[in-house]
Amino acid sequence: MISFRNLKLINPIIRAITEAGYSKPTEIQNAVIPVVLKGNDLLAYAPKGSGKIAAFAVPILQLLNRNPAEHMKIRVLILASTDELVVDIERKLILYSKYVTLLQLRIHDGSSKESQASEFKRRIDVLLATPERLFEIIDKMPINFSKLEMLVLYDVDKMDQKTFKIGMKNIQEIIPTNVQTLVFCEIISNTVKKSVSVLLNNPKEISTGDSLIPIKSIKQSVYFVENRDKQELLIYLVKKNRSKQSLVFIKNKYIADNLLAELKNAGIITESIHGNTSTAVNNNILDDFKNGKIQILISTDSAIKGLFISGLSNIVNYDFPDTLNVYIERTERIRISINDGSLISFCTANEHLNLHDIQNRIGFTIPVGIL
């Protein structure tokens, strides 16, 4: 049996990860850890939940402790797609570094310029941020990356591509040329490869599992529609699939309120939840939806974030997602709740670029729906 000891990790790290509940390395950890320890650049693909964070965090801790720095400059920069992921990486680094020395700093919103400046005066082994947060800080004050040893880009395929492309150019300008760079994605994408190639030097490419299976296994379709015709199209599809419940995603509460009235006028049992409805009301509506009392539930992503609905038949992207991250999260809701569910997307002329970008990054064309 492969163990963490076989990967030549030091005892303090093995002890910490064992106490954190890790019994043996996952496939991605077994493949990645030796590559990182050898100092190679890396482009790795693995599905959600495969253990990618430990795959880079554990060997980074070992490298940092193998060669302690004599300076006060930043040694490792970790950039992730969302603030939530940055917090998750920070939390796991704390677990894994229980018996080794690690000084880390997470850039977050809300800190004053003065407090941020004081934080950067102390020693920082690992700096964590989203690309947006990093460059917000850099715009306010200079950050010294002259001694940077490693750069980690995590969940690159879920980053906003416009921001990311600008970020890649900016990162090139602020970091040394000999930095070991590790890139992690869920989905194999030529677009991502091209974007990160400027930062990679002869990288090892690792793919564990089929990272496209979670998306490809979902029935998907896209309907090209004018904005004024969306309501009529949704009503038609709902009545056509009379027995199926649908979760309809919209951008904001104003669209939700208007759509709710139209569906009710059409005789469809519908409710909506969003940021302006109370938690108690949202919970009651969700319970009714789960119990089959509501046919259509209209929601924003934020209102239903972290909530699981079993047996969900259909999801409708009434407003087409503007990022791959959102699209994947919605397909995941179908995949884990029911075997024969489907994801239906409406796409207006203004949303064609979003559709094109997402199709490029998932590697296949979403079938066009037929009325």
Side-chain angles (χ1 to χ4, degrees):
M1 183 181 75
I2 298 172
S3 69
F4 285 106
R5 198 167 297 279
N6 296 142
L7 300 177
K8 299 181 179 179
L9 295 172
I10 59 176
N11 287 333
I13 291 178
I14 293 175
R15 182 182 174 189
I17 59 180
T18 300
E19 290 180 3
Y22 295 70
S23 58
K24 62 180 181 178
T26 64
E27 185 180 3
I28 189 67
Q29 291 161 6
N30 185 55
V32 164
I33 290 173
V35 173
V36 179
L37 290 176
K38 288 179 182 177
N40 296 114
D41 282 11
L42 176 72
L43 181 53
Y45 308 95
K48 185 177 181 180
S50 58
K52 294 192 292 293
I53 293 177
F56 69 79
V58 166
I60 284 176
L61 288 173
Q62 178 144 322
L63 291 173
L64 288 174
N65 282 268
R66 180 184 294 172
N67 302 304
E70 297 178 357
H71 55 78
M72 301 289 284
K73 307 297 188 297
I74 299 163
R75 300 182 68 187
V76 178
L77 173 61
I78 299 176
L79 298 177
S81 57
T82 66
D83 289 320
E84 290 79 11
L85 271 177
V86 172
V87 171
D88 190 31
I89 295 170
E90 178 188 42
R91 181 180 61 81
K92 288 180 178 176
L93 276 169
I94 291 171
L95 284 176
Y96 307 152
S97 64
K98 186 175 180 180
Y99 300 109
V100 296
T101 301
L102 178 70
L103 297 173
Q104 60 181 340
L105 173 64
R106 172 172 57 89
I107 297 176
H108 55 86
D109 192 21
S111 297
S112 67
K113 181 179 177 180
E114 291 73 22
S115 66
Q116 289 167 349
S118 64
E119 287 175 330
F120 280 98
K121 288 179 181 177
R122 65 178 177 84
R123 177 182 151 198
I124 300 172
D125 292 319
V126 178
L127 180 66
L128 305 103
T130 62
E132 294 87 349
R133 293 276 184 264
L134 177 66
F135 291 109
E136 282 174 8
I137 294 294
I138 290 175
D139 284 341
K140 297 176 183 176
M141 53 181 279
I143 298 178
N144 191 332
F145 288 106
S146 63
K147 299 294 185 180
L148 193 72
E149 299 168 29
M150 303 183 74
L151 169 67
V152 179
L153 302 174
Y154 186 76
D155 266 9
V156 170
D157 48 328
K158 295 183 181 179
M159 292 180 181
D160 177 79
Q161 280 301 287
K162 291 180 181 178
T163 303
F164 183 66
K165 287 177 181 177
I166 296 170
M168 289 305 94
K169 182 178 179 181
N170 291 338
I171 287 171
Q172 275 187 288
E173 294 174 354
I174 64 175
I175 67 172
T177 56
N178 59 341
V179 170
Q180 182 183 4
T181 301
L182 314 176
V183 179
F184 289 83
C185 311
E186 286 187 16
I187 297 169
I188 298 173
S189 162
N190 288 330
T191 303
V192 168
K193 283 186 180 182
K194 184 177 179 181
S195 297
V196 300
S197 62
V198 295
L199 296 171
L200 293 167
N201 179 27
N202 193 26
K204 299 290 184 181
E205 193 165 330
I206 294 173
S207 178
T208 60
D210 186 345
S211 59
L212 287 178
I213 283 177
I215 295 180
K216 283 186 173 179
S217 64
I218 305 302
K219 296 176 186 176
Q220 298 165 68
S221 58
V222 58
Y223 289 84
F224 296 105
V225 59
E226 296 294 331
N227 200 57
R228 64 176 180 271
D229 297 325
K230 279 185 177 182
Q231 292 179 355
E232 185 179 350
L233 175 58
L234 180 60
I235 291 169
Y236 169 80
L237 292 174
V238 169
K239 290 187 173 181
K240 181 181 177 182
N241 300 293
R242 188 174 304 169
S243 62
K244 293 185 178 181
Q245 286 184 299
S246 295
L247 175 59
V248 178
F249 280 104
I250 42 79
K251 286 182 179 178
N252 56 56
K253 77 179 194 69
Y254 305 105
I255 297 172
D257 293 341
N258 185 258
L259 183 58
L260 176 66
E262 291 298 321
L263 290 175
K264 284 187 172 181
N265 286 339
I268 299 167
I269 302 173
T270 310
E271 289 295 344
S272 70
I273 59 175
H274 46 71
N276 282 23
T277 50
S278 69
T279 301
V281 171
N282 283 355
N283 289 341
N284 288 336
I285 291 173
L286 281 169
D287 287 341
D288 286 345
F289 186 67
K290 291 175 182 177
N291 293 329
K293 297 178 181 179
I294 298 170
Q295 187 177 359
I296 302 298
L297 177 61
I298 303 167
S299 177
T300 56
D301 287 286
S302 59
I304 206 167
K305 189 175 181 64
L307 299 175
F308 172 69
I309 301 174
S310 62
L312 188 60
S313 300
N314 290 312
I315 284 180
V316 178
N317 290 325
Y318 188 84
D319 295 309
F320 196 83
D322 55 4
T323 67
L324 178 63
N325 188 23
V326 172
Y327 191 85
I328 290 175
E329 286 177 355
R330 294 177 185 176
T331 61
E332 278 291 291
R333 286 186 175 277
I334 288 289
R335 186 177 69 84
I336 63 178
S337 66
I338 198 167
N339 291 326
D340 62 348
S342 63
L343 179 70
I344 298 167
S345 299
F346 294 174
C347 184
T348 65
N350 292 335
E351 296 165 326
H352 281 191
L353 286 177
N354 291 343
L355 172 64
H356 180 70
D357 181 51
I358 286 174
Q359 288 184 147
N360 278 342
R361 296 168 73 189
I362 63 178
F364 62 92
T365 301
I366 302 169
V368 176
I370 301 173
L371 296 176

